[in-house]
Amino acid sequence: MTKRVYNFNPGPATLPLSVLQRVQQELLDYRGTGMSVLEISHRSPEYEDINTSAMALTREILGLRDNFKVLFLGGGASTQFAMIPMNFLPTGKTAVYVDTGSWSSKAIKEAQKIGKVQVAFSSKAENYKRVPKPSEVKCPSEAAYLHVTSNNTIFGTQYDDFPNPGNVPMIADMSSDIASRRRDFTKFSLIYAGAQKNLGPAGVTIVIIRDDLLARCPENLSTMFTYTTHAKENSLYNTPPVFAVYIVKMVLEWMKEQGGLNAVEKSNFAKKERIYQMMDLSSEYYRGTVDPDSRSWMNITMRLPSEELEKKFLAEAKAAGFIGLKGHRSVGGIRVSLYNAMPLEGAEKLAEFMEKFRKSN
Ligand code: PMP
């Protein structure tokens, strides 16, 4: 058995071991084709099956109705920052954004290159330590759309309750918390997420788009940048990231085996509770950096009493088999990423390690 660490990386992130084992098993001969899945045509019946199954499973796990299309695109979530305004921010309209961290501000910057943007709320002056309450986000009824970032990977905040923009389409970057807990997905007109945290490897971005928004895509936009191109062709307009989609399909199957979104949510709740409870018992030592009611289930951020102790913590954690705990280079500190595939045991063992470390340091 290969030695596996507890991988708390923020993304690309840990994947279910059973999925990796299946990849290994199937790698040289995918289901009797005599070829690896890396070598098969994206027009083959084998890939057709992977593609449609992955789409159907996304729909099933998230409980989406038929009025949503699921797309598998390249270019990462960062390409969506541009594609969204390209498709849905026409001249004369204003797009409304909520700025809750580095990824939101990148999305804003891209939209500003395309058209008019209004930032309805920003927690920048508060070091992004919170997300807004729904009442703090006022979205004019004539806005093109409202854009939110459901989980702020770097700053460790997450919405419990989303704003309510009325009839204005709401668009969410769910890159770091998609399929991690139940949500009322009917509130959103478009959801996008890079797969590399909760759903698979890097290389594919999941876009979930409601038919009424899809109908607004302009016809004169470059083909690859128009959502309708990909929707009409079932994400097979050009060569898709076959291997990444294949793994996404297996991660979704793994989620289903776990008991679907309910069970995954339960496990994620227990994981984050274990870490936050431990932090709350020693809040002078493990200092949370965000407001308690904005705490993320996925990325838990904290500072230790000194940078020296943080360095020591990271080194000792690594030696004990816990890796990927360094905070983002722009904020420092410690960040514990607890995506779907991190087992509860990983969070428990890390909490024990943290307690021991505090007592001896
Ligand atoms: N949005 C969020 C919330 C993210 O965490 C990330 C990546 N960490 C991105 C967008 C950018 O994703 P990508 O690297 O796939 O472009």
Side-chain angles (χ1 to χ4, degrees):
M1 179 67 197
T2 320
K3 182 174 169 281
R4 300 265 302 163
V5 293
Y6 287 112
N7 173 2
F8 293 94
N9 270 323
T14 190
L15 286 166
L17 182 59
S18 60
V19 168
L20 297 176
Q21 284 166 334
R22 238 178 98 193
V23 174
Q24 191 179 38
Q25 263 168 23
E26 294 184 336
L27 192 64
L28 298 185
D29 178 8
Y30 183 72
R31 309 214 169 158
T33 56
M35 291 177 280
S36 149
V37 71
L38 289 158
E39 301 163 298
I40 62 173
S41 163
H42 60 292
R43 310 270 173 215
S44 63
E46 287 79 16
Y47 186 70
E48 280 275 349
D49 180 58
I50 290 171
N51 191 43
T52 43
S53 306
M55 285 172 183
L57 280 160
T58 305
R59 214 183 270 293
E60 185 183 335
I61 297 276
L62 299 184
L64 300 171
R65 291 198 214 101
D66 287 349
N67 58 340
F68 283 96
K69 292 258 176 331
V70 177
L71 313 177
F72 297 130
L73 308 183
S78 300
T79 299
Q80 295 308 306
F81 295 164
M83 258 176 93
I84 288 161
M86 283 164 89
N87 281 270
F88 306 122
L89 178 50
T91 319
K93 285 275 206 176
T94 300
V96 178
Y97 277 73
V98 180
D99 175 25
T100 48
S102 314
W103 298 109
S104 314
S105 27
K106 284 190 172 150
I108 291 168
K109 212 167 125 197
E110 291 303 310
Q112 283 167 336
K113 292 183 180 184
I114 312 283
K116 254 175 84 180
V117 170
Q118 181 198 331
V119 178
F121 172 92
S122 174
S123 48
K124 188 174 181 184
E126 305 167 83
N127 276 333
Y128 292 123
K129 71 182 172 85
R130 67 184 189 102
V131 293
K133 293 185 183 65
S135 61
E136 288 179 284
V137 180
K138 303 268 184 285
C139 182
S141 60
E142 66 280 7
Y145 59 81
L146 170 70
H147 180 282
V148 296
T149 312
S150 57
N151 183 76
N152 298 282
T153 327
I154 295 176
F155 291 93
T157 62
Q158 185 180 31
Y159 287 89
D160 250 342
D161 282 328
F162 289 98
N164 184 358
N167 287 330
V168 174
M170 183 151 65
I171 294 180
D173 175 359
M174 293 199 184
S175 289
S176 49
D177 69 350
I178 191 156
S180 64
R181 57 195 279 191
R182 286 167 303 161
R183 296 288 202 185
D184 181 3
F185 297 105
T186 59
K187 280 188 166 178
F188 300 93
S189 296
L190 191 154
I191 292 165
Y192 64 100
Q196 65 268 25
K197 298 163 199 300
N198 273 326
L199 287 180
V204 63
T205 305
I206 289 94
V207 176
I208 296 162
I209 182 167
R210 220 169 63 192
D211 289 341
D212 55 335
L213 187 66
L214 195 57
R216 294 195 197 176
C217 292
E219 302 210 332
N220 56 354
L221 205 57
S222 304
T223 315
M224 272 300 283
F225 296 110
T226 315
Y227 290 107
T228 36
T229 304
H230 304 288
K232 274 185 200 145
E233 303 286 337
N234 256 335
S235 301
L236 285 166
Y237 171 74
N238 72 321
T239 319
V242 170
F243 195 63
V245 175
Y246 158 69
I247 296 180
V248 166
K249 183 199 127 206
M250 290 197 290
V251 171
L252 290 163
E253 284 167 349
W254 169 83
M255 281 186 71
K256 201 171 155 177
E257 285 160 23
Q258 307 298 301
L261 202 52
N262 274 352
V264 168
E265 174 181 303
K266 254 194 205 144
S267 158
N268 286 334
F269 182 87
K271 277 148 52 182
K272 64 100 184 172
E273 282 293 291
R274 188 72 188 85
I275 303 293
Y276 281 124
Q277 275 168 7
M278 200 279 309
M279 285 168 67
D280 287 341
L281 287 174
S282 49
S283 55
E284 293 296 304
Y285 197 83
Y286 292 115
R287 307 165 181 185
T289 57
V290 307
D291 283 357
D293 57 1
S294 289
R295 282 175 166 181
S296 167
W297 296 22
M298 297 277 101
N299 311 98
I300 301 182
T301 50
M302 68 192 87
R303 301 302 309 238
L304 267 62
S306 70
E307 283 189 17
E308 285 65 46
L309 276 175
E310 286 170 351
K311 268 194 202 128
K312 190 164 186 235
F313 177 92
L314 290 170
E316 289 186 17
K318 190 173 174 193
F322 307 105
I323 67 119
L325 292 165
K326 195 170 191 261
H328 190 267
R329 58 187 188 279
S330 61
V331 297
I334 306 296
R335 169 174 52 174
V336 182
S337 297
L338 297 169
Y339 299 124
N340 289 353
M342 172 59 62
L344 177 57
E345 187 194 62
E348 281 170 347
K349 292 239 166 94
L350 179 67
E352 283 163 25
F353 168 83
M354 288 170 75
E355 218 164 329
K356 253 198 238 151
F357 183 87
R358 177 178 61 83
K359 286 183 177 150
S360 49
N361 289 277

